[in-house]
Amino acid sequence: QVQLVESGGGVVQAGGSLRLSCAASGRTYSGYFIGWFRQAPGKEREFVAAIRWSSSVTYYADSVKGRFTISRDNAKNTVYLQMDSLKPEDTAVYYCAADGGMDSRYYYDREHYDYWGQGTQVTVSS
């Protein structure tokens, strides 16, 4: 029903930048959220950023606020995560996710997202 494909990961030095992409297909995203989450080895999958597709309202984790920017391109059905001033602690597999109709108060909660991409590896060297 919903397919998500991440791309753009790679290896970058501390202080550098990467832009991740999440291409969506299969359903209309109007009125729904696309979120970015990340998971480092031995850690829980944690919230990074989210965007409400129809309104472009955005949300960020405190750990990335001011460094990461989430945006969308309606024509391409794609959500981007621009990551600047990267730190070694940003190293993780990054996943995009879509909800199935959750209330907006749960934008940060991975348990309220229903569809997930396969992830893309981001490695920040020190």
Side-chain angles (χ1 to χ4, degrees), residues 36-48 89-95 110 116 118-122:
W36 284 99
F37 293 77
R38 66 187 182 186
Q39 188 165 22
K43 303 292 185 180
E44 297 285 344
R45 192 170 299 186
E46 67 176 359
F47 170 75
V48 176
E89 51 262 46
D90 295 318
T91 295
V93 177
Y94 283 70
Y95 300 88
R110 66 184 186 273
W116 295 85
Q118 293 299 307
T120 185
Q121 176 71 46
V122 172

Side-chain angles (χ1 to χ4, degrees), residues 11 27-28 31 34 37 46 52 55 62 67 74 76 83-84 91-92 94-95 98-99 101 103 120-121 124:
V11 180
R27 73 165 175 86
T28 301
I34 301 294
F37 293 77
E46 67 176 359
R52 191 192 294 266
S55 67
D62 288 344
R67 300 188 297 121
N74 285 357
K76 296 181 179 180
M83 305 185 294
D84 298 320
T91 295
Y94 283 70
Y95 300 88
D99 71 293
D103 189 274
T120 185
Q121 176 71 46
V124 184

Side-chain angles (χ1 to χ4, degrees), residues 17 22 73 97 107:
S17 298
C22 175
D73 185 332
Y107 69 88

Side-chain angles (χ1 to χ4, degrees), residues 7-71:
S7 62
V11 180
V12 65
Q13 293 184 359
S17 298
L18 285 173
R19 189 180 75 162
L20 306 184
S21 299
C22 175
S25 63
R27 73 165 175 86
T28 301
Y29 277 75
S30 297
Y32 294 96
F33 291 86
I34 301 294
W36 284 99
F37 293 77
R38 66 187 182 186
Q39 188 165 22
K43 303 292 185 180
E44 297 285 344
R45 192 170 299 186
E46 67 176 359
F47 170 75
V48 176
I51 185 168
R52 191 192 294 266
W53 184 260
S54 62
S55 67
S56 296
V57 173
T58 58
Y59 309 85
Y60 296 95
D62 288 344
S63 60
V64 306
K65 194 170 185 178
R67 300 188 297 121
F68 292 9
T69 304
I70 188 170
S71 62

